[in-house]
Amino acid sequence: MQASPALVSSDDLYLFNTGQLFRAYRTFGAHPFENEGQSGIRFVLWAPHAREVTVIGDFNGWNGEHRQVVMTQIGTTGIWAGFAPGLSVGIRYKYEILGADGTRQLKSDPFGFQSELRPNTASIVTSLDEYDWHDREWIEQRKQHPPYEKPMLIYEVHLASWRMDAPEHFRDYEQLAHELVDYVCSMGYTHIEVLPLTEHPLDRSWGYQATGYFAATSRYGPAKGLQILVDRCHQRGIGVLLDWVCGHFCKDDHGLRLFDGAPLYENSDYRRAEKPLWGTLAFDFGKPQVLSFLLSNALFWLDVYHIDGLRVDAVASMIDMNFDKPDSMRVVNRFGGTEDIEALHFLRKLNETVFHYYPDSLMMAEDSSSYPAVTSPTYLGGLGFNYKWNMGWMNDMLRYMETDPSQRSSHHSLITFSLHYAFSENYVLPLSHDEVVHGKRSMLNKMPGNYNEKFSNLRLFYGYWMTHPGKKLLFMGGEFGQFDEWKDYAGLDWSLLQYPLHDSMRRYVGDLNRMYLDNGALWERDHEQGGFEWIDVNNSSQCMLSFQRNGKTSENPIVTVCNFSRDTHSIYRIGVPQPGNYRQIMNSDKSDYGGSGTEMPSFVSAQEIPLHGKPFSIEVPVPALSIQLWQSEIS
């Protein structure tokens, strides 16, 4: 075993310890290495409080006294390095650390690229630079077309439970590269968003409590399989987003907690470190080395796996130091406020770093707070994300849709209030996994009424969601009306597709998706006030709404009519902006979708009868609990 400062450059030492080593994964961890003519593995670790660090593994029978790899601290940098000649890719290993408190513990490698399948916890030396990518065309076209003026339909997926043959019998990455990608393409989605894939010890944490930030979870096979999955997505024109958890980590002994016998990745003040709501620990964003670790991890997924962007989890819990904490744990910042100044600095630095290297990437904040300018540039004082989940819209709409139609007239503002702020940020409208677990019921089962009315309400809801300004995200199972809430330990209830209304719901969602993709008026101006105009916003007594969506030109606007009541209107007049014919491009009440099949004209002609502030108007039948879209034929 050899160790010397030459194993790590002085530049890397400096940059890591000042929070500026943005690709620290190339230096830290276990890597094949040539040293003085010998091939072996170089180990590099940050453990400033450790008294001694050795590497043990299957190469020495997990015996720290036999052929152990003793690492040496490089000066007073807190960084340990060692070179073991003769070792190669594939070995399993852990760090044995004599900590500041005098105890010895075995730790997985914080920079390890692969882990054993749980419940085993060793790291595995892995090379990730050998995969031959075939997605150059996707990467190039992504650079040419910014996302703001493009359609975005995100299918949110938990890989374990999308399809499962038996408990804990998961599809592997390569199987999913065919089955999942084919399905997503057939449904018309533009992106897949995957729940966290960082290695985690407990299946039922869904990946939100991680131990291996640089290791794609081994539940679905070797790391190369994930590269194959992403590559095939790109070859089929599908972007891939990763749910990324940088706000907290789990407390398992082999992970980051008290890594070298003292608080290291976490804050030494337990009030700052503890996340009592989740039983986890917050990262200490005040340490520059933690910044190097996290910023490198963000770039790692984009560099090594060609991920198209990150959905940053639990932003509200990061920026508020007292988020869901009891009074006994409350703290204030140096100005007397409760904002976490260090976390805010980290988020800005995160987005600046990612967009410096990948200006065409997607950085989405899952933020339930009212913190301003989340999607504004950092040079204007914003956090620098390019998208934010619109949690307010989601909560208001679900509350409204869960209300019985007979009571909706007194809650009309719930479906209209979002347009007061819809253009203050760049929004994604999420119907995510969080809304269909823990007793919240599935999307279908949230809907009031009898069996048929539940489906009518859900089709109406999805139609309004699709026509409201903002990009779209739907959790798996919602597209065919999963009746039970999501069960993370079992596969989706695909057998429901043998029943006509569930099969019709999937057909409706697929057609709705394709209609959305085909009509730029529904997405070209998502983030501009001029992309949306109310026609009639005030008809609360009949639970009716009508509005128009406008594309880049004033031609061919789309007029949308929503009926949130049980009343059918054989003739209903609404104002329209232009003369000529209007063609129906979507009707949720079609019999093909499980609706009543009320006879509807394919075209209606505008009459020069002013209404709703518009110079023309049309008359259309409006079935109960339905949405229909009409597009001007003027060209």
Side-chain angles (χ1 to χ4, degrees):
M1 204 293 302
Q2 303 170 24
S4 74
L7 296 177
V8 184
S9 74
S10 58
D11 286 346
D12 283 0
L13 294 173
Y14 172 78
L15 292 172
F16 181 78
N17 281 318
T18 56
Q20 300 176 82
L21 189 58
F22 299 141
R23 289 186 166 95
Y25 68 87
R26 295 175 178 173
T27 300
F28 287 77
H31 295 269
F33 195 73
E34 292 282 338
N35 187 51
E36 297 180 353
Q38 292 183 300
S39 298
I41 301 297
R42 180 192 66 185
F43 297 92
V44 180
L45 181 72
W46 178 50
H49 304 113
R51 301 180 187 176
E52 178 184 297
V53 179
T54 58
V55 184
I56 64 172
D58 49 16
F59 60 90
N60 69 352
W62 297 95
N63 185 344
E65 297 179 358
H66 176 66
R67 199 183 169 223
Q68 60 186 352
V69 180
V70 180
M71 299 176 71
T72 302
Q73 185 170 186
I74 302 174
T76 58
T77 62
I79 296 169
W80 299 70
F83 174 72
L87 299 187
S88 60
V89 167
I91 67 161
R92 298 176 301 151
Y93 69 99
K94 281 188 176 182
Y95 294 109
E96 184 177 76
I97 299 175
L98 176 60
D101 57 0
T103 61
R104 288 187 182 274
Q105 53 185 344
L106 293 179
K107 291 287 189 177
S108 301
D109 190 344
F111 284 90
F113 290 164
Q114 190 167 338
S115 299
E116 290 184 291
L117 179 63
R118 50 85 179 110
N120 296 325
T121 58
S123 300
I124 303 173
V125 178
T126 303
S127 176
L128 296 176
D129 57 4
E130 297 173 355
Y131 181 73
D132 183 17
W133 288 88
H134 298 86
D135 63 348
R136 179 177 296 277
E137 182 178 347
W138 168 267
I139 299 298
E140 290 303 314
Q141 69 85 22
R142 192 181 70 182
K143 294 177 181 178
Q144 302 302 318
H145 303 285
Y148 307 105
E149 299 175 359
K150 291 172 60 179
M152 191 182 299
L153 286 171
I154 304 168
Y155 189 62
E156 187 188 30
V157 183
H158 177 245
L159 293 185
S161 57
W162 181 69
R163 287 189 186 273
M164 191 184 298
D165 296 324
E168 299 188 16
H169 284 242
F170 309 136
R171 299 293 204 270
D172 64 29
Y173 293 118
E174 292 194 52
Q175 287 176 291
L176 291 164
H178 295 280
E179 294 180 17
L180 175 60
V181 177
D182 288 349
Y183 179 76
V184 166
C185 289
S186 74
M187 290 296 294
Y189 291 100
T190 64
H191 292 75
I192 297 171
E193 180 174 306
V194 187
L195 268 62
L197 292 179
T198 44
E199 192 59 84
H200 52 283
L202 179 66
D203 291 355
R204 304 203 64 184
S205 78
W206 315 332
Y208 288 95
Q209 297 189 12
T211 50
Y213 273 77
F214 291 83
T217 178
S218 52
R219 285 167 177 77
Y220 315 120
K224 180 183 176 182
L226 178 56
Q227 293 175 316
I228 292 171
L229 171 58
V230 176
D231 197 8
R232 189 158 194 271
C233 282
H234 288 173
Q235 292 176 54
R236 298 290 302 277
I238 302 296
V240 182
L241 308 174
L242 179 64
D243 204 337
W244 190 60
V245 184
C246 56
H248 61 118
F249 56 90
C250 70
K251 296 181 177 181
D252 290 57
D253 286 342
H254 66 282
L256 301 180
R257 175 178 175 267
L258 299 175
F259 187 79
D260 56 2
L264 186 63
Y265 289 89
E266 68 271 37
N267 198 290
S268 58
D269 183 344
Y270 83 96
R271 298 173 301 172
R272 298 285 306 277
E274 292 285 345
K275 293 276 193 181
L277 179 67
W278 299 314
T280 55
L281 294 169
F283 281 101
D284 184 352
F285 301 109
K287 291 192 179 87
Q289 298 89 345
V290 171
L291 294 190
S292 286
F293 176 82
L294 289 173
L295 297 174
S296 294
N297 187 244
L299 289 180
F300 168 80
W301 294 102
L302 278 60
D303 287 343
V304 174
Y305 290 101
H306 290 204
I307 297 294
D308 297 283
L310 304 174
R311 177 265 200 188
V312 179
D313 179 60
V315 169
S317 77
M318 297 171 64
I319 62 181
D320 179 1
M321 292 193 294
N322 298 319
F323 182 86
D324 275 335
K325 291 184 179 181
D327 290 343
S328 62
M329 294 180 65
R330 294 185 67 84
V331 294
V332 295
N333 61 35
R334 62 180 179 269
F335 302 112
T338 62
E339 293 178 347
D340 191 325
I341 296 170
E342 294 161 344
L344 290 169
H345 167 74
F346 162 71
L347 291 171
R348 293 186 178 103
K349 189 65 176 178
L350 166 69
N351 289 314
E352 289 171 354
T353 302
V354 168
F355 288 127
H356 174 78
Y357 292 102
Y358 293 94
D360 52 318
S361 61
L362 294 166
M363 293 296 289
M364 298 183 175
E366 189 266 322
D367 177 26
S368 58
S369 77
S370 59
Y371 192 85
V374 172
T375 58
S376 292
T378 58
Y379 61 79
L380 294 178
L383 292 187
F385 290 93
N386 52 10
Y387 281 98
K388 173 181 175 174
W389 277 23
N390 193 337
M391 313 292 275
W393 173 88
M394 177 198 69
N395 289 323
D396 285 350
M397 280 306 303
L398 290 179
R399 182 181 165 195
Y400 181 83
M401 293 306 303
E402 290 178 41
T403 301
D404 188 89
S406 64
Q407 304 297 317
R408 285 175 177 168
S409 62
S410 59
H411 299 281
H412 196 68
S413 63
L414 289 174
I415 50 173
T416 61
F417 179 70
S418 59
L419 271 300
H420 289 288
Y421 63 86
F423 310 104
S424 62
E425 304 273 9
N426 300 328
Y427 280 119
V428 172
L429 307 183
L431 300 175
S432 77
H433 68 279
D434 277 331
E435 305 315 310
V436 294
V437 290
H438 304 319
K440 296 180 182 178
R441 298 173 295 169
S442 69
M443 283 294 161
L444 179 64
N445 208 15
K446 292 177 190 289
M447 301 297 113
N450 60 37
Y451 187 67
N452 284 342
E453 286 180 337
K454 285 180 179 294
F455 283 91
S456 296
N457 271 299
L458 190 59
R459 291 192 301 270
L460 166 59
F461 177 35
Y462 284 167
Y464 182 65
W465 166 67
M466 195 66 76
T467 52
H468 188 288
K471 308 308 181 185
K472 324 298 178 188
L473 177 143
L474 180 66
F475 184 58
M476 63 183 197
E479 75 276 15
F480 61 81
Q482 173 98 3
F483 202 84
D484 289 342
E485 69 176 20
W486 173 44
K487 303 178 289 292
D488 55 68
Y489 53 84
L492 294 178
D493 296 328
W494 294 101
S495 61
L496 289 173
L497 291 173
Q498 67 185 298
Y499 300 102
L501 281 177
H502 292 277
D503 189 49
S504 296
M505 176 60 74
R506 183 175 67 167
R507 188 180 311 117
Y508 170 69
V509 170
D511 287 352
L512 188 67
N513 288 351
R514 286 181 282 272
M515 183 277 301
Y516 166 84
L517 296 177
D518 290 342
N519 289 280
L522 296 177
W523 40 263
E524 286 176 341
R525 302 177 68 188
D526 262 332
H527 313 302
E528 302 175 26
Q529 182 71 56
F532 179 94
E533 294 180 50
W534 287 117
I535 295 175
D536 185 7
V537 66
N538 296 314
N539 192 353
S540 60
S541 62
Q542 293 182 299
C543 302
M544 295 284 293
L545 273 182
S546 54
F547 55 90
Q548 71 184 62
R549 293 298 307 274
N550 305 314
K552 287 184 177 180
T553 70
S554 60
E555 300 171 351
N556 306 115
I558 292 176
V559 172
T560 300
V561 186
C562 304
N563 181 4
F564 291 94
S565 78
R566 291 190 175 99
D567 298 324
T568 293
H569 304 279
S570 58
I571 294 295
Y572 190 85
R573 183 175 289 273
I574 59 170
V576 293
Q578 297 178 170
N581 288 333
Y582 284 75
R583 176 174 61 94
Q584 188 182 83
I585 61 173
M586 180 55 64
N587 172 21
S588 70
D589 193 55
K590 286 174 61 175
S591 57
D592 284 352
Y593 302 145
S596 69
T598 299
E599 187 173 346
M600 301 283 288
S602 299
F603 295 87
V604 293
S605 295
Q607 297 174 292
E608 199 169 346
I609 301 174
L611 187 65
H612 301 136
K614 304 293 182 181
F616 306 93
S617 58
I618 57 175
E619 284 188 335
V620 296
V622 180
L625 300 174
S626 71
I627 182 170
Q628 50 188 282
L629 279 68
W630 299 87
Q631 186 167 38
S632 167
E633 290 276 287
I634 292 179
S635 60

